Amino acid sequence: MEIEIGSFTRVEEKSVYAEVTIYTDPDSGGENVSLYLKLPYEVETTLAELEKVAKAQAIKQMRSAADWLAAKSD
């Protein structure tokens, strides 16, 4: 699995949207999921910090989705 962080778009004074793509099977050019995550933002926040938060939130969202799907398949 690979996670690619795309662009950040500032939407409010203290928020940005992050475009994140998760490639679940990159070796075979397979599946991917795109997410648009609203993240907190301060003027002092670096790009590296935003990318770290975006990656962590993307993983959290994928785990939540997997849990939801697992519960629905029971």
Side-chain angles (χ1 to χ4, degrees):
M1 180 165 55
E2 292 179 15
I3 298 175
E4 180 180 288
I5 308 297
S7 62
F8 293 97
T9 305
R10 194 168 173 185
V11 290
E12 295 173 1
E13 193 167 311
K14 295 194 177 214
S15 298
V16 294
Y17 279 114
E19 180 182 349
V20 180
T21 303
I22 300 173
Y23 298 94
T24 58
D25 190 9
D27 294 332
S28 67
E31 307 298 321
N32 66 59
V33 175
S34 293
L35 303 169
Y36 295 91
L37 305 170
K38 188 174 182 180
L39 305 173
Y41 172 78
E42 296 290 332
V43 174
E44 301 84 16
T45 305
T46 66
L47 183 57
E49 291 169 334
L50 279 175
E51 288 177 347
K52 184 177 179 180
V53 170
K55 188 174 184 177
Q57 285 297 319
I59 292 168
K60 182 179 174 183
Q61 292 296 324
M62 286 297 291
R63 283 187 181 141
S64 178
D67 291 345
W68 181 84
L69 287 170
K72 294 294 179 182
S73 66
D74 291 339

